[in-house]
Amino acid sequence: MHSIVLLSLLVLSYSASALQDDFCVADLTGADTPSGYVCKKVDDVTVDDFVFSGLGVPGNTTNIIKAAVTPAFVGQLPGTNGLGISAARLDLAPGGVVPLHTHPGGSELLIVIQGSICAGFISSSANAVYTKTLKKGDTMLFPQGLLHFQINAGGSNAVAFVSFSSPNPGLQITAFALFANSLPSALVEKVTFLDDYEVKKLKGVLGGTN
């Protein structure tokens, strides 16, 4: 009984402490830790810590995937620090694709504002696939940590705004993780069941070595 009371008092004490501050704007000169950045001194906080104008500008899609993601994460919007929220803009040129990837740190909510996007994710328990071609105004949710993708499903530019349940959701693109680094080809072949030719071809395309 005493331990339950003590635990309750600790929780209440922490909650009360957390409520004393309206926000914790990130001090980007420090390190980003699993619990976020340390707070700026209140006297150093300005309105610009809560404003980011970059999502109004199209991203550069002249790259191998014909896609661009413009983040409004804690690095661009320090006021998101500790608030469990961030945003991004996704631009997909015709033929553009965001390959299978995950966000280890947060769930994603995508809203299409222009064009059409084929999007989907794969469950981790049964490898069930959930895909949909989204039109302007459609919204799709991608649960935290699950493999998912977006593909331009039309002949014109597609644009979407995205929100995340984390100020820094992270990103790992599966193809880049396998073929854009120095992991030896022999090991990649074993873990992917691809032959030597395909592995080295993909490493060549994505800039990997070994």
Side-chain angles (χ1 to χ4, degrees):
M1 181 64 181
H2 291 295
S3 60
I4 295 175
V5 172
L6 178 60
L7 179 60
S8 300
L9 289 173
L10 286 172
V11 169
L12 288 172
S13 174
Y14 175 81
S15 300
S17 175
L19 291 174
Q20 288 176 4
D21 297 321
D22 293 324
F23 45 75
C24 174
V25 171
D27 180 355
L28 298 178
T29 63
D32 187 12
T33 72
S35 58
Y37 287 88
V38 297
C39 306
K40 265 188 179 183
K41 294 179 181 178
V42 174
D43 290 344
D44 294 332
V45 174
T46 73
V47 68
D48 289 335
D49 291 314
F50 304 96
V51 177
F52 177 68
S53 301
L55 300 189
V57 181
N60 183 1
T61 58
T62 56
N63 51 60
I64 191 172
I65 61 175
K66 299 180 180 179
V69 176
T70 304
F73 298 164
V74 67
Q76 298 77 34
L77 193 55
T80 62
N81 191 48
L83 297 184
I85 191 171
S86 62
R89 172 182 173 135
L90 170 62
D91 287 277
L92 291 168
V97 56
V98 181
L100 279 171
H101 63 283
T102 68
H103 302 292
S107 297
E108 174 182 345
L109 187 70
L110 178 142
I111 305 169
V112 179
I113 64 167
Q114 179 182 319
S116 60
I117 296 175
C118 175
F121 67 90
I122 304 169
S123 74
S124 64
S125 56
N127 288 321
V129 178
Y130 302 89
T131 63
K132 187 81 172 182
T133 297
L134 308 171
K135 306 295 184 183
K136 180 179 178 180
D138 288 341
T139 300
M140 187 167 184
L141 173 67
F142 306 93
Q144 180 173 341
L146 296 188
L147 285 167
H148 59 286
F149 64 89
Q150 292 94 20
I151 301 171
N152 188 323
S156 60
N157 291 336
V159 181
F161 286 135
V162 181
S163 66
F164 295 94
S165 62
S166 166
N168 197 5
L171 170 68
Q172 185 173 43
I173 298 178
T174 307
F176 290 4
L178 287 169
F179 307 112
N181 56 33
S182 60
L183 187 63
S185 295
L187 290 179
V188 179
E189 291 158 23
K190 288 183 180 298
V191 299
T192 62
F193 305 106
L194 294 174
D195 61 33
D196 186 67
Y197 170 79
E198 287 295 334
V199 169
K200 289 182 177 175
K201 175 185 174 182
L202 290 166
K203 277 181 171 283
V205 169
L206 297 177
T209 59
N210 291 331

